[in-house]
């Protein structure tokens, strides 16, 4: 993405445009840029002739912050990036550290299943925000509120699992951490899945003549263009490329679960809408299977790897057990210390490939951390896909790419 | 006209003015309640009993707010923009008959004036309203307001034609331009039966004329923020609000008058005036409810789709409808 920073170069561009054109500064406080993003749009009438996304208004230096915390301290920073799907971010972060430590095989099955279930629930939560705001951008007001009402139920499940609704910081290196989900959680998830329905949103949007005319054939991203921009997630699958890390490189418990990857070849806004809508149905399927597997596990199944140097001991044991106290002391003072090396791990987040890259110098803090955030990479295609459409199409396109500015700017 | 008649006209004008200023307050509140219930939330429920004073409080708040004028705005045009929107909406009410003639010592028609070109006056006032939109959008010196004004003028002018075509067919049936005559002609059969296509055309054009969902492009908040009134604040902003809701009520009243027989309905002998008003109000409220439900259910059309829908789809239907109506009319007479 060629973001010209500094006003001088931007004004330089403006002087060259013809008389019929106008520069429209969309954002950073525009209702449909999904946060503080600025789009510099050149319009001829209402037709967009050039579109330059300008990001950075929400930059908080998360990567640098992670480098100044120990590995466990960074968990709380990750769910503030894509705040619509906190657990998914936590999971990507932890799995990259586990890969760095070479302990992927030591994660117990219970932790894997819980991670998968929570990741899919966060996919649902994220897609609910997306379908609501996307519909709101196109003008359907009720869909937004109906969608958030359903999302509320998922956030309630998060709250039961870890005590927080949005910034979950769920899971720890090596498993679920000292705080597993409460016993009633599995039943609550089942009850949620039984009561959960997408039919209302479906009936409001999918077959709606106006919604279809606003989204069909709009903002087309051909497959080659999607690949050349490095798109991942629903925007890629909406262009007909069948690529999903959950199938291509199964992680966590995805290899033992039966689900499908929806792919639509049209490449327009409507195709991306259908991809996400079907993903929501698949997510409920995955969560249901995870709950079945969890119920099959013996009640004393471990939820953490047997690694006292990573997993803090039971707090009640610390004052009475010498070994536990030493482990606790070392973990608090030095943190998790991976060996020297580097590792990248990507998971299929709700918005695309969410990857974390770590370089370790053997100390308790990462030497370098880089986040491959799907929103940032996917946003790049705006430059090409918005050209030729109307202003209203640009708004629909932003919605269909599904960006979260907390993740774009980090 | 003697002194009594002048007094009666003056009283009618004051009543219309009061209704005109009071009805939007109630309508905004009802809309917020309805939308709230439809969207699984509560809506206003704090100010007054169950939120009944919410819009009054909002109006008061807008009244005491600073009247901001953006830098570079054309001040005079900026000031008069909202006025040009409100006055036509108010003036058009003069010709709407809300009930039959009643005898209170003398015959008093429940309308302000019986204009022999009534429906033309309504169309003319509708066209004048767009000046307010264009003036306020252009004078704001804002790109978004500019877009809103352009969209509004194109939209209103196009849909005015559809509305005119629909009205033309009604005039052919009624043989008069006066709204009172049109209502009285419907004593046997409401015009919605022979003119169902025209009725649909008029309702669609009416929704577009009032800039409501799904034709709310001039103020599409997710695209051009708030369109033509993005730069307004305080009382001037409130005037846009009053004009929008007054226009909704006006369009509903005109639909009732043209197609649903206005005040006609079962009457209690001796109380024709009262029952007439009740019938008229009931029919009008039904259409206002339709406006509210549309807003809850539908997304927004795109600008080019809106225009092609008007010119390529509604326009031919409207012309065919007029020709058919003319043919049928000739066959009858």
């Amino acid at each position: 993405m060629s973001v010209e920073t500094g006003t001088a170069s931007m004004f330089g561009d403006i002087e060259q445009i013809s008389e019929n054109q106008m520069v429209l500064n969309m954002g950073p406080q525009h209702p449909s840029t999904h946060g503080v993003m600025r789009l510099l749009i050149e319009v001829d009438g209402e037709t967009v002739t050039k579109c330059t996304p300008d990001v950075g208004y929400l930059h908080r230096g998360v990567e640098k912050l992670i480098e100044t915390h120990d590995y466990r301290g960074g968990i709380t920073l990750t769910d503030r990036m894509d705040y619509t799907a906190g657990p998914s971010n936590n999971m990507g972060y932890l799995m990259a550290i586990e890969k760095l430590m070479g302990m992927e095989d030591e994660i117990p099955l219970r932790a894997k299943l819980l991670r998968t279930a929570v990741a899919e629930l966060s996919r649902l939560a994220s897609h609910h925000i997306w379908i609501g705001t996307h519909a709101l951008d196109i003008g359907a007001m009720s869909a937004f509120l109906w969608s958030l009402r359903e999302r509320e139920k998922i956030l309630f499940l998060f709250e039961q699992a870890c005590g927080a609704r949005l910034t979950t910081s769920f899971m720890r290196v090596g498993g679920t951490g000292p705080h597993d989900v409460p016993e009633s959680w599995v039943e609550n998830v089942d009850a949620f899945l039984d009561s959960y329905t997408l039919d209302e949103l479906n009936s409001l949007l999918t077959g709606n003549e106006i919604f279809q005319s606003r989204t069909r054939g709009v903002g087309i991203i051909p497959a080659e263009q999607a690949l050349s921009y490095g798109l991942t997630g629903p925007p890629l699958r909406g262009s007909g490329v069948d690529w999903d890390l959950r199938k291509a490189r199964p992680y966590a418990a995805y290899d033992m679960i039966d689900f499908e990857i929806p792919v639509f070849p049209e490449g327009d806004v409507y195709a991306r809408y259908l991809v996400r809508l079907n993903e929501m149905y698949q997510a409920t399927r995955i969560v249901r299977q995870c709950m079945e597997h969890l119920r099959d596990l013996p009640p004393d199944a471990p939820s953490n790897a047997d690694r006292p140097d990573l997993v803090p001991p039971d707090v009640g044991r610390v004052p009475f057990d010498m070994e536990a106290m030493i482990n606790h002391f070392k973990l608090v003072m030095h943190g998790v210390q991976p060996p020297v090396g580097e590792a990248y791990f990507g998971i299929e987040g709700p918005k695309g490939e969410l990857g974390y890259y770590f370089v370790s110098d053997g100390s308790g803090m990462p030497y370098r951390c880089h986040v491959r955030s799907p929103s940032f990479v996917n946003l790049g295609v705006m430059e090409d896909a918005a050209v030729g459409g109307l202003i209203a199409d640009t708004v629909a396109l932003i919605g269909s790419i599904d960006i979260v500015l907390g993740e774009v700017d980090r | 006209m003697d002194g009594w008649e002048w007094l009666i006209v003056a009283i009618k004008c004051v009543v219309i003015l009061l209704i005109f200023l009071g009805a939007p307050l109630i309508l905004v509140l009802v809309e917020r309640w309805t939308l709230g219930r439809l969207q699984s939330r509560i809506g206003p429920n704090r100010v007054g009993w169950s939120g009944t004073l919410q819009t009054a409080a909002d109006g008061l708040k807008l009244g005491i707010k600073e009247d901001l004028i953006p830098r570079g705005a054309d001040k005079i045009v900026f000031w008069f923009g909202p006025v040009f929107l409100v006055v036509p909406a108010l003036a058009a009410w003069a010709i709407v008959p809300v009930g039959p003639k009643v005898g209170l010592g003398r015959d008093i028609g429940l309308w302000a004036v019986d204009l022999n070109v009534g429906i033309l006056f309504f169309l003319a006032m509708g066209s004048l309203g767009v000046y307010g939109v264009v003036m306020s959008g252009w004078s704001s010196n804002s790109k978004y307001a500019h877009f809103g004004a352009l969209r509004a003028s194109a939209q209103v002018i196009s849909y005015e034609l559809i509305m005119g075509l629909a009205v033309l067919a009604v005039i052919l049936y009624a043989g008069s331009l006066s709204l009172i005559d049109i209502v009285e002609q419907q004593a046997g059969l409401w015009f919605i039966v022979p003119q169902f296509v025209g009725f649909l055309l008029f309702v669609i054009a009416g929704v577009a004329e009032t800039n409501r969902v799904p034709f709310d492009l001039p103020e599409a908040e997710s695209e051009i923020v708030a369109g033509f009134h993005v730069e307004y604040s305080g009382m001037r902003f409130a005037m846009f609000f009053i004009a929008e809701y007054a226009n909704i009520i006006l369009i509903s009243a005109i639909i009732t008058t043209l197609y649903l027989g206005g005040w006609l309905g079962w009457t209690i002998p001796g109380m024709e005036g009262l029952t007439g008003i009740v019938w008229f109000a009931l029919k009008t409220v039904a259409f206002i409810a339709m406006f509210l439900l549309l807003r809850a259910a539908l997304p927004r059309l795109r600008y080019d789709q809106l225009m092609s829908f008007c010119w390529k789809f509604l326009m031919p239907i409207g012309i065919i409808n007029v020709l058919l109506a003319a043919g049928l009319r000739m066959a009858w007479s």
Side-chain angles (χ1 to χ4, degrees), chain B:
Chain B
M1 277 165 74
D2 59 5
W4 280 109
E5 279 191 29
W6 281 111
L7 185 65
I8 289 166
V9 169
I11 291 172
K12 281 174 182 170
C13 289
V14 169
V15 168
I16 285 177
L17 192 64
L18 287 178
I19 293 174
F20 177 82
L21 292 175
L25 284 184
I26 299 165
L27 182 54
V28 171
L29 187 66
V30 171
E31 172 169 43
R32 289 179 63 180
W33 273 337
T34 318
L35 280 182
R37 293 295 188 278
L38 288 169
Q39 293 168 345
S40 63
R41 55 191 177 87
I42 295 166
N45 70 339
R46 296 285 134 177
V47 189
W49 180 77
S50 297
T52 36
L53 295 177
Q54 182 65 52
T55 42
D58 285 346
L60 194 67
K61 182 201 75 176
L62 284 173
I64 57 176
K65 273 202 162 185
E66 189 187 351
D67 187 11
L68 287 170
I69 297 171
R71 194 189 303 149
D74 189 327
K75 273 186 195 164
I76 295 168
V77 183
F78 189 79
W79 278 341
F80 281 102
V83 179
F84 263 75
L85 207 60
V86 170
V87 169
L90 174 59
W93 266 100
I95 49 130
V96 179
V98 297
K101 267 201 167 77
V102 288
L104 293 170
R106 58 173 65 214
D107 275 355
I108 300 173
L110 293 178
W111 51 79
V113 280
D114 180 6
L115 210 60
N116 56 359
V117 290
I119 193 67
L120 279 186
F121 183 74
F122 160 74
L123 289 176
M125 286 299 130
S127 307
L128 264 186
V130 77
Y131 280 93
V133 175
V134 173
M135 281 165 71
S136 45
W138 174 79
S139 66
S140 294
N141 191 30
S142 157
K143 286 169 182 171
Y144 288 111
H146 184 70
F147 271 123
L150 288 180
R151 285 179 175 194
S153 48
Q155 173 178 333
V156 173
I157 289 167
S158 310
Y159 278 86
E160 199 94 318
L161 284 172
I162 305 301
M163 200 176 253
L165 284 174
V167 166
L168 203 56
V170 170
I171 295 169
L172 282 171
Y173 273 91
S176 168
L177 289 171
S178 157
L179 285 173
I180 291 100
D181 288 349
I182 289 175
V183 171
E184 278 165 358
Q185 289 283 327
Q186 298 181 60
L189 186 66
W190 291 356
F191 284 157
I192 187 175
V193 180
Q195 266 304 306
F196 190 69
V197 178
F199 165 74
L200 291 180
L201 287 175
F202 194 90
V203 170
I204 293 171
V207 177
E209 184 92 357
T210 47
N211 300 336
R212 292 283 295 187
V213 175
F215 304 116
D216 61 336
L217 294 129
E219 45 193 285
E221 72 277 351
S222 59
E223 295 156 24
I224 51 170
V225 195
F228 57 90
H229 57 55
V230 66
E231 300 291 348
Y232 280 86
S233 61
M235 210 53 221
R236 282 173 210 289
F237 178 73
M239 282 166 89
F240 284 111
F241 242 79
I242 292 173
E244 177 178 343
Y245 284 89
N247 268 324
I248 292 172
I249 305 171
L250 176 67
I251 287 283
S252 303
I254 294 286
I255 294 172
T256 304
T257 309
L258 290 184
Y259 294 99
L260 290 184
W263 67 75
L264 299 174
W266 299 290
T267 55
I268 305 162
M271 294 179 73
E272 282 86 358
L274 190 67
T275 48
I277 292 174
V278 169
W279 273 116
F280 179 81
L282 278 179
K283 291 169 187 173
T284 308
V285 164
F287 281 102
I288 293 173
M290 180 205 72
F291 274 92
L292 302 191
L293 296 183
L294 275 182
R295 177 162 176 202
L298 289 181
R300 180 184 310 116
L301 275 169
R302 209 171 59 199
Y303 178 62
D304 58 328
Q305 289 164 349
L306 179 90
M307 298 307 274
S308 64
F309 180 63
C310 172
W311 291 96
K312 293 180 187 165
F313 183 72
L314 295 181
M315 191 73 152
I317 292 181
I319 292 171
I320 291 167
N321 182 45
V322 170
L323 292 177
L324 277 180
L328 283 174
R329 183 81 190 150
M330 272 173 68
W332 267 348
S333 57

Side-chain angles (χ1 to χ4, degrees), chain A residues 20-199:
Chain A
N20 298 329
Q21 283 176 318
M22 178 163 108
V23 176
L24 191 66
N25 194 14
M26 205 166 165
Q29 66 287 66
H30 187 280
S32 297
T33 50
H34 291 211
V36 279
M37 179 178 68
R38 178 171 166 230
L39 287 176
L40 204 67
I41 299 178
E42 287 178 21
V43 283
D44 182 3
E46 285 218 20
T47 312
V48 177
T49 53
K50 192 183 169 200
C51 173
T52 314
D54 182 14
V55 298
Y57 290 91
L58 203 59
H59 182 69
R60 293 153 297 172
V62 171
E63 288 170 6
K64 191 67 195 167
L65 269 175
I66 290 175
E67 288 165 19
T68 60
H69 288 65
D70 70 14
Y71 283 92
R72 295 180 309 152
I75 298 172
T76 50
L77 297 168
T78 55
D79 45 31
R80 281 154 178 84
M81 288 193 282
D82 181 1
Y83 39 77
T84 63
S88 205
N89 285 31
N90 300 153
M91 184 172 153
Y93 177 80
L94 293 171
M95 293 182 88
I97 297 174
E98 282 159 9
K99 186 177 179 190
L100 189 62
M101 314 228 3
M103 56 173 294
E104 291 137 305
D105 302 333
E106 296 175 44
I107 311 299
L109 182 59
R110 184 177 163 79
K112 282 183 175 175
L113 285 168
L114 277 173
R115 282 181 182 182
T116 311
V118 171
E120 289 305 315
L121 282 175
S122 72
R123 187 185 310 279
L124 266 185
S126 167
H127 281 3
H128 266 296
I129 288 268
W130 155 78
I131 200 172
T133 50
H134 188 38
L136 195 64
D137 288 348
I138 289 178
M141 193 180 169
S142 297
F144 177 68
L145 290 139
W146 290 6
S147 174
L148 288 202
R149 185 194 59 204
E150 293 298 310
R151 183 173 188 265
E152 214 46 33
K153 300 176 188 167
I154 303 167
L155 297 187
F156 184 66
L157 290 176
F158 289 164
E159 191 179 2
Q160 277 190 323
C162 64
R165 284 154 46 88
L166 211 62
T167 51
T168 48
S169 302
F170 195 34
M171 305 281 171
R172 296 290 180 271
V173 181
T176 62
H179 306 295
D180 202 340
V181 293
E183 276 169 28
S184 61
W185 196 69
V186 174
E187 276 77 48
N188 288 333
V189 173
D190 275 337
F192 158 73
L193 289 175
D194 290 338
S195 72
Y196 179 77
T197 174
L198 275 169
D199 293 348

